[in-house]
Amino acid sequence: REKDDKYKSWMPKFLMAKEDKDQRKSSDNVERNIFKVKKNNAEKSKMMEKEEKIFRETFMYDKEINVINTVTAECSVPSKRRVDLPVTAGEQLDVIDVTEGNAVICRNSGGRYGYVLVEHLNFR
């Protein structure tokens, strides 16, 4: 009888092996999705490089791009000129350079650059 109990407990585990194979197939799909994300990151980095090139040409900026500070936009502001960066309330921005006057050059999460007035930013 004891031997029969051992075999009974072992049999369901044996039958579950097919389910494990199904789970492996689904995990293969997850791995494939990871590769798609990496592809999207590559596309995003190309987009960032393109935006940086446009920024350097538009602003005639030849210095190295360093993030001075990270700020939050207090209110939404549409861009009035091509060089202005449109921001939405609560958006995180990287301050790249301080200019003369009341504007700073910022970069948003999408990689776009532009001027933002200091009065629209929260430096906390």
Side-chain angles (χ1 to χ4, degrees):
R1 290 181 187 174
E2 293 176 12
K3 291 182 181 178
D4 291 340
D5 292 336
K6 288 181 182 177
Y7 291 120
K8 286 181 182 177
S9 63
W10 183 74
M11 288 297 286
K13 291 180 183 177
F14 179 75
L15 294 174
M16 292 175 64
K18 290 183 180 178
E19 294 175 9
D20 291 341
K21 288 181 184 177
D22 293 337
Q23 289 177 352
R24 287 184 205 145
K25 288 180 184 176
S26 65
S27 67
D28 289 342
N29 292 338
V30 172
E31 290 177 23
R32 290 181 189 153
N33 289 338
I34 291 170
F35 292 124
K36 288 180 182 177
V37 170
K38 288 182 181 178
K39 184 179 178 184
N40 289 339
N41 287 343
E43 291 173 3
K44 187 173 182 180
S45 66
K46 285 181 183 178
M47 185 72 159
M48 295 278 271
E49 289 175 10
K50 182 180 176 184
E51 289 290 340
E52 182 179 337
K53 184 179 177 184
I54 292 169
F55 162 70
R56 288 187 180 280
E57 290 172 357
T58 305
F59 288 80
M60 291 181 255
Y61 196 83
D62 57 353
K63 297 186 241 174
E64 185 178 344
I65 296 175
N66 291 324
V67 177
I68 298 171
N69 198 355
T70 303
V71 297
T72 306
E74 289 183 341
C75 58
S76 298
V77 181
S79 63
K80 296 178 183 174
R81 303 176 296 166
R82 184 172 180 239
V83 293
D84 291 338
L85 181 66
V87 295
T88 57
E91 182 179 10
Q92 292 277 333
L93 301 171
D94 296 329
V95 177
I96 304 299
D97 201 359
V98 180
T99 62
E100 295 177 14
N102 61 348
V104 291
I105 299 174
C106 293
R107 175 178 61 196
N108 65 7
S109 60
R112 291 195 58 203
Y113 295 84
Y115 289 115
V116 180
L117 294 177
V118 175
E119 59 199 38
H120 300 301
L121 302 175
N122 186 1
F123 283 88
R124 291 184 189 178

